[in-house]
DNA sequence: AAACAATTTAATCATTTGATTAAAAATGAA
DNA sequence: TTCATTTTTAATCAAATGATTAAATTGTTT
């Protein structure tokens, strides 16, 4: 009891230092390519401390991954499950939230997706994505718009893919864009800010295509 | 001289076996997560043969990566640099080619993109992407369409991102879709075939948005 | 068949890497 | 201060992994 409280006084600093370093390195290189020594160097702490605080590389990774998943999907969940907003409004909010999030954390998508390829089951089990996506109010609303003849009847997954593709994909290909097109970071961000306004309009145009 | 010809008689089979196995494993797990032993098991050959034929894991990886890059970008290059086709036509051809390619090789995008994040410079230098993309006839044609007032004046990179996002991103998130939505492989492919027809229309709608 | 070259195998190395341990240092309580 | 607990360090371990070597096998040429 007193152990815990005493521990946390100074632990917090070191534990957080390790986690922050782990987040940076894992996000940049993925699980397999990061060595525990990379994390210890990045954080400036002794290698043994990593195991002292987190027991194992894998355990530390799982913590970082869980936080990353939550951070990434909570925006989606809140935007998709708001029952007071229109479909158009949900999309605007989603696009806005995500582009802001991704400008701050551009490495999250490729991090999640490349780990997803290795162990999809374990990753998916960490978060209740069905609730976020398939059972979301967004999906129900989409179906009712279709029935009302407001939008073209297609599988709502197409819209999800288009939204995700238009929002997320640029960040995934950005290392390439910078290298190829000589696009600088601020130039890239400027394009992304343009997209905040444009993607909702594009989606509106798409769902009216016959 | 005779060495070479004699060698290649039986080498071909083994060398190809190793390369094919390497392609499968590298595409699935990436460079850092694949062990040379994985490749030897996948191919059924002795571990030492990998080094006998390819000198090192890294060298073998570079060969696979180069072929993957070429396979991936040659479709784009040929579609984009055809001076006889209209912009609309180029997009149709591109979408068709790529969705077919990706249904056959769904792991290529995440493979390329996740390696791209680690060493963008080395990867980009392997292929002259500027010629394929920025200096392509597609880009010039796009600009002339803008000048003629046929389409809304935006940075052509937005169209590139939308195209890439709508075509490629679904394949990157497909492990997740299958796990979450219970979408089976053939169901997924069916959706992708639908997209072959729809993406060109969607892009047309997008470039007319004001 | 004999000789030579190419291919394959089994055993082993050397390095990397995740993890542990024992001791030292720092911190807080009495 | 003194003692106990927590935190940190340096050294080391054990397993994994990329690579090599020497010997065995197979195939080709004469």
């Amino acid at each position: 009891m007193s152990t815990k409280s005493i521990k946390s006084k100074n632990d917090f600093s070191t534990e957080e230092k390790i986690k922050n370093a782990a987040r940076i390195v894992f996000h940049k290189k993925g699980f397999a390519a990061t060595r525990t020594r990379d994390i210890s160097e990045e954080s400036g702490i002794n290698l043994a401390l990593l195991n002292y605080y987190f027991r194992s590389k894998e355990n530390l990774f799982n913590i970082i991954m869980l936080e990353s998943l939550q951070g990434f999907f909570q925006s989606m969940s809140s935007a998709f499950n708001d029952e007071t907003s229109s479909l158009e409004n949900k999309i605007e909010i989603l696009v806005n939230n995500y582009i802001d999030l991704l400008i701050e954390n551009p490495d999250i998508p490729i991090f999640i997706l490349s780990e997803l390829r290795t162990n999809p089951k374990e990753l998916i089990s960490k978060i209740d994505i069905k609730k976020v996506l398939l059972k979301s109010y967004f999906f129900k609303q989409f179906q009712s718009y279709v029935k009302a003849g407001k939008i073209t009847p297609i599988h709502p997954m197409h819209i999800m893919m288009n939204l995700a593709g238009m929002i997320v994909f640029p960040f995934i290909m950005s290392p390439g864009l910078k290298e190829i097109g000589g696009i600088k970071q601020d130039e890239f961000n400027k394009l992304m800010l343009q997209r905040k306004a444009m993607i909702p309009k594009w989606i509106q145009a798409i769902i009216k295509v016959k």
Side-chain angles (χ1 to χ4, degrees), chain A:
Chain A
M1 38 193 81
S2 72
T3 2
K4 260 296 176 197
S5 55
I6 288 168
K7 199 183 177 189
S8 49
K9 271 188 189 172
N10 278 12
D11 246 355
F12 185 77
S13 170
T14 313
E15 203 173 316
E16 281 299 314
K17 265 195 275 183
I18 295 174
K19 268 182 64 176
N20 289 336
R23 187 176 304 109
I24 291 170
V25 182
F26 279 139
H27 278 191
K28 192 154 62 188
K29 316 211 291 181
F31 178 80
T34 75
R35 293 161 301 234
T36 51
R37 282 162 177 82
D38 295 335
I39 298 174
S40 87
E41 281 170 29
E42 174 75 29
S43 63
I45 58 99
N46 187 284
L47 173 59
L49 286 179
L50 190 149
N51 292 288
Y52 176 72
Y53 281 99
F54 296 96
R55 294 176 35 98
S56 73
K57 175 192 177 186
E58 199 179 336
N59 193 47
L60 177 54
F61 175 81
N62 284 334
I63 291 169
I64 298 298
M65 174 56 82
L66 184 60
E67 289 184 3
S68 301
L69 284 172
Q70 285 171 338
F72 190 77
F73 285 106
Q74 77 182 9
S75 292
M76 195 186 297
S77 184
S78 62
F80 271 13
N81 288 303
D82 177 7
E83 304 204 0
T84 67
S85 59
S86 66
L87 202 67
E88 293 82 357
N89 215 244
K90 279 187 184 54
I91 292 171
E92 277 174 24
I93 292 168
L94 185 85
V95 171
N96 256 282
N97 287 354
Y98 266 93
I99 290 190
D100 286 341
L101 177 74
L102 292 176
I103 285 177
E104 290 302 312
N105 309 281
D107 292 333
I108 287 190
I110 189 69
F111 169 67
I112 292 177
L113 289 167
S114 59
E115 300 298 336
L116 183 71
R117 126 180 99 157
T118 319
N119 37 18
K121 281 174 192 167
E122 204 185 343
L123 230 73
I124 295 297
S125 69
K126 287 189 196 299
I127 199 165
D128 193 358
I129 277 174
K130 288 192 195 186
K131 195 177 164 192
V132 174
L133 262 180
L134 300 183
K135 296 178 183 174
S136 70
Y137 188 70
F138 177 90
F139 259 58
K140 294 189 193 105
Q141 203 166 21
F142 187 89
Q143 309 283 24
S144 74
Y145 270 52
V146 170
K147 276 191 186 166
K150 287 187 186 175
I151 57 182
T152 310
I154 54 169
H155 197 302
M157 195 54 78
H158 283 304
I159 300 302
M160 294 302 314
M161 290 173 175
N162 291 346
L163 261 174
M166 291 198 285
I167 296 170
V168 175
F169 197 74
F171 290 90
I172 295 178
M173 65 191 286
S174 86
L177 290 181
K178 285 168 195 154
E179 202 58 43
I180 303 164
I183 295 182
K184 308 288 177 204
Q185 184 61 54
D186 56 339
E187 198 176 344
F188 177 80
N189 286 349
K190 214 168 142 190
L191 283 171
M192 292 308 109
L193 292 177
Q194 288 177 5
R195 292 177 80 79
K196 276 172 80 166
M198 292 191 294
I199 291 175
K201 291 181 187 170
W202 290 335
I203 293 288
Q204 293 307 319
I206 282 175
I207 60 182
K208 275 159 195 155
V209 166
K210 291 187 197 11

